[in-house]
Amino acid sequence: MLTYPTVRFLSRIIRNSFVDIRKNHSKVGILGVPFEKGQLKSGVGSGPEAFRNMGLIKNLKDMGCDVKDFGDVAYQQIEGVQVENMMALGHIAACQKEVSDSVIRILGEGRMCLTIGGDHSISIGTIDGHVKAKGNLGLLWVDAHADLNTNATSPTGNVHGMPVALLAKELSDYWPYIPGMDWQKPRLSIRNIAYIGLRDIDAYERLIIDKFAITAFGMEDIERYGIIEVTNMALRRIDPNNDLSLHVSFDIDSLDALEAPSTGTPVRGGLTLREGIQVMEEAYRTNRLSAVDIVEVNPKLGSPTDVKITLEAAKHIIRAASGYSRRGQSPENVKDLPQQTFHTASSTNMNQ
């Protein structure tokens, strides 16, 4: 016979095992950044429109989220600013300043800032705004690429391959003065950055990762340890005291190209969609997830089927970041299970 303390203990286990079967009350602020000047392939700037057209906002509301759409960022190009091997600097500097200010406003309303891009250069603005609003933070950079080049090391000059290097304090001496970017200072410590999903790293990026001992988990680490353990190792390293605001910058090319074909720089051998969802679920469970970027979805690349697959994959990532539970969630405004009375022919005849 079970004793009373044992029953209480078992009841607690059962209750905790269903912790994710709950109502969702996430407050989400959506920011669209239709920006594609950080790279050369046309179409990625139409990402925010594609997300809205697929019903993203309604989907989040149906989950129980409190959603506010802050619209798309607009900017005026800064004329006459140039730095060697930094493409479209006048666009980058102007747009990312507006992004940073918008993120500060959204976080100031107590909402998780969900930024839909756009290419990965938009994270210069999202992370700058997050740091200004919250102070130091932990950053998970989920990507096939390190995006850690400077203008001196980049093989292309495309700024979507430079944001982490621009944001890290320890790398500030590796940059020249950048006109138009006086609003942005490297404020994020490299020890608070962790990569997940790397598999296409330039030689100088590898050198920087090793030199500064940056936390970096490639696909071989995920194969060895599993995605949940890798995510939690990354979180422990960037936030050992469990007290920092968390930012996840999720490049859709972190997923395998079969999972997300409509992106500008696909790399085979990447995360499965399930692994991408698990990263976001673990981040959400910290209760400190304040900002998420979803970038590099290009609705003009590939067939209509490719585009649909990619947008659907991104939608599942966003849902996980917003608190969706694959175990199911309780309906709103219902305290008890609905009662149902079943009438059979025989019972009806018996009552006559």
Side-chain angles (χ1 to χ4, degrees):
M1 181 179 294
L2 295 176
T3 64
Y4 178 67
T6 302
V7 171
R8 289 189 61 192
F9 175 71
L10 291 173
S11 298
R12 187 178 301 115
I13 291 176
I14 293 170
R15 183 169 64 252
N16 290 341
S17 71
F18 286 93
V19 68
D20 282 331
I21 304 179
R22 62 187 184 275
K23 299 175 183 177
N24 187 301
H25 297 292
S26 295
K27 295 181 67 177
V28 180
I30 295 178
L31 179 66
V33 188
F35 187 79
E36 57 186 40
K37 297 293 185 180
Q39 47 82 66
L40 298 178
K41 293 184 179 179
S42 176
V44 71
S46 59
E49 179 184 13
F51 277 112
R52 291 189 177 97
N53 287 343
M54 74 178 293
L56 175 64
I57 295 172
K58 181 180 184 301
N59 193 266
L60 292 176
K61 287 181 177 179
D62 289 344
M63 282 172 49
C65 295
D66 175 350
V67 182
K68 181 177 179 180
D69 188 354
F70 287 77
D72 288 346
V73 165
Y75 70 93
Q76 191 70 37
Q77 177 190 0
I78 302 173
E79 300 288 348
V81 292
Q82 291 184 342
V83 167
E84 183 179 0
N85 205 35
M86 287 187 77
M87 304 289 289
L89 179 57
H91 290 276
I92 298 286
C95 181
Q96 301 323 310
K97 171 64 165 62
E98 297 300 323
V99 172
S100 177
D101 291 344
S102 298
V103 170
I104 292 171
R105 183 167 69 255
I106 293 169
L107 293 176
E109 292 192 10
R111 295 178 179 275
M112 182 188 82
C113 180
L114 170 62
T115 304
I116 47 179
D119 68 59
H120 218 159
S121 68
I122 72 171
S123 293
I124 300 167
T126 63
I127 295 166
D128 180 83
H130 192 169
V131 174
K132 287 175 179 175
K134 298 278 190 175
N136 200 18
L137 57 87
L139 171 63
L140 290 182
W141 196 269
V142 187
D143 201 331
H145 311 91
D147 296 345
L148 195 53
N149 277 297
T150 67
N151 69 310
T153 66
S154 171
T156 64
N158 293 330
V159 179
H160 78 158
M162 304 180 189
V164 180
L166 279 165
L167 292 160
K169 291 188 292 186
E170 292 86 346
L171 301 181
S172 59
D173 291 341
Y174 291 78
W175 288 95
Y177 171 70
I178 305 177
M181 294 285 287
D182 295 305
W183 56 269
Q184 189 268 331
K185 305 294 182 186
R187 294 180 170 89
L188 186 62
S189 174
I190 230 163
R191 68 175 179 271
N192 298 124
I193 301 170
Y195 289 104
I196 294 177
L198 294 179
R199 58 192 185 277
D200 187 13
I201 307 171
D202 295 333
Y204 280 104
E205 292 178 313
R206 182 74 258 172
L207 179 65
I208 293 172
I209 288 171
D210 293 341
K211 176 180 174 62
F212 290 95
I214 301 174
T215 300
F217 293 100
M219 289 307 303
E220 67 271 28
D221 300 304
I222 293 167
E223 290 157 5
R224 181 175 296 115
Y225 300 109
I227 190 61
I228 291 178
E229 181 58 26
V230 161
T231 304
N232 283 288
M233 285 192 290
L235 290 169
R236 288 193 294 270
R237 292 187 188 181
I238 65 176
D239 184 16
N241 297 319
N242 299 320
D243 59 1
L244 296 181
S245 185
L246 180 61
H247 191 121
V248 180
S249 196
F250 197 104
D251 191 321
I252 203 67
D253 72 27
S254 63
L255 301 182
D256 188 86
L258 293 176
E259 301 272 20
S262 293
T263 188
T265 51
V267 185
R268 289 297 305 276
L271 298 173
T272 65
L273 176 56
R274 184 176 66 183
E275 289 171 329
I277 290 169
Q278 288 171 322
V279 170
M280 282 306 193
E281 287 176 339
E282 293 303 303
Y284 178 83
R285 288 184 183 120
T286 67
N287 294 316
R288 295 186 302 281
L289 182 59
S290 297
V292 174
D293 313 326
I294 300 291
V295 299
E296 300 287 356
V297 173
N298 191 329
K300 295 186 179 179
L301 292 179
S303 68
T305 299
D306 291 337
V307 174
K308 181 179 179 182
I309 290 170
T310 306
L311 286 169
E312 287 287 334
K315 180 187 75 173
H316 285 290
I317 299 299
I318 291 169
R319 282 156 56 91
S322 304
Y324 179 76
S325 172
R326 289 179 290 168
R327 291 177 175 175
Q329 293 173 243
S330 298
E332 294 289 329
N333 304 318
V334 177
K335 294 182 179 180
D336 299 305
L337 290 174
Q339 300 297 311
Q340 176 68 53
T341 302
F342 294 95
H343 296 282
T344 65
S346 57
S347 64
T348 302
N349 292 333
M350 288 175 61
N351 293 328
Q352 289 179 347

